[in-house]
Structure formats: C-alpha cells, structure tokens
Amino acid sequence: AIENLSIKQDDDICISNLFIETYKITKREKEIIDFFIKGESYKKIGKKLFISKKTVDNHIANIYKKTGSKNRFDLIELIKKNS
C-alpha cells in the first residue's frame, strides 16, 4: 500500500558503479531500480520490461533485502549517499 503513495520524481538520481558493486545489484535489478526511483508502479515497470508485476515485486524484494532498505524512500536515499 505504501508503494502507491506519490513520490516526487527525481531525475538527478544516478546509480553509481559503487552502489551496484557494493550491493551486488544485477543488470535486471538496475533496470528495475531505474524505473522504480522515478515513481513507476510495479505494473508499469513490468510492462516496460516485458515481465509480470509479480516478477517486479520479487526483484524489488531482493533489492530491499540486499540494500537493507524498507521502502522506496530508503532506497533513493541510499542511492544518493552512494553516488
């Protein structure tokens, strides 16, 4: 439910190689993060990447687990700190 909240889009966020290497983010996870941090819904991300909403949900869960993030805001803050 919290993921449906409107979050200001921030086009200035750049996912650094440091972030990717530190948290062992896969190529697919990075693709998902790119859309996710721009406020895209799981359904829209799935459509853009030709995968199901459930697969997006699984990737996001893995990303949260790897990074220790609890939500989209936490993930964005972590990415900013590691840029």
Side-chain angles (χ1 to χ4, degrees):
I2 198 164
E3 297 302 339
N4 292 329
L5 295 175
S6 178
I7 296 177
K8 181 183 171 289
Q9 184 174 337
D10 192 340
D11 292 323
D12 295 335
I13 299 173
C14 179
I15 302 170
S16 69
N17 287 332
L18 174 65
F19 177 83
I20 292 168
E21 292 168 12
T22 300
Y23 296 102
K24 298 180 177 27
I25 301 299
T26 66
K27 181 180 176 190
R28 182 54 113 185
E29 289 169 344
K30 185 194 178 297
E31 290 173 332
I32 289 171
I33 292 170
D34 285 336
F35 289 116
F36 189 63
I37 62 178
K38 292 178 180 168
E40 297 285 357
S41 69
Y42 290 11
K43 188 175 181 179
K44 278 189 179 180
I45 295 169
K47 283 185 177 183
K48 289 180 179 186
L49 297 177
F50 306 102
I51 57 178
S52 73
K53 179 186 170 291
K54 178 64 178 161
T55 300
V56 174
D57 185 52
N58 289 338
H59 280 297
I60 296 293
N62 288 337
I63 292 163
Y64 283 169
K65 186 175 179 180
K66 286 180 177 183
T67 62
S69 301
K70 297 194 185 316
N71 54 45
R72 191 182 308 234
F73 179 78
D74 284 351
L75 182 62
I76 290 170
E77 289 303 305
L78 186 63
I79 291 168
K80 286 181 179 179
K81 286 178 188 174
N82 285 276
S83 292

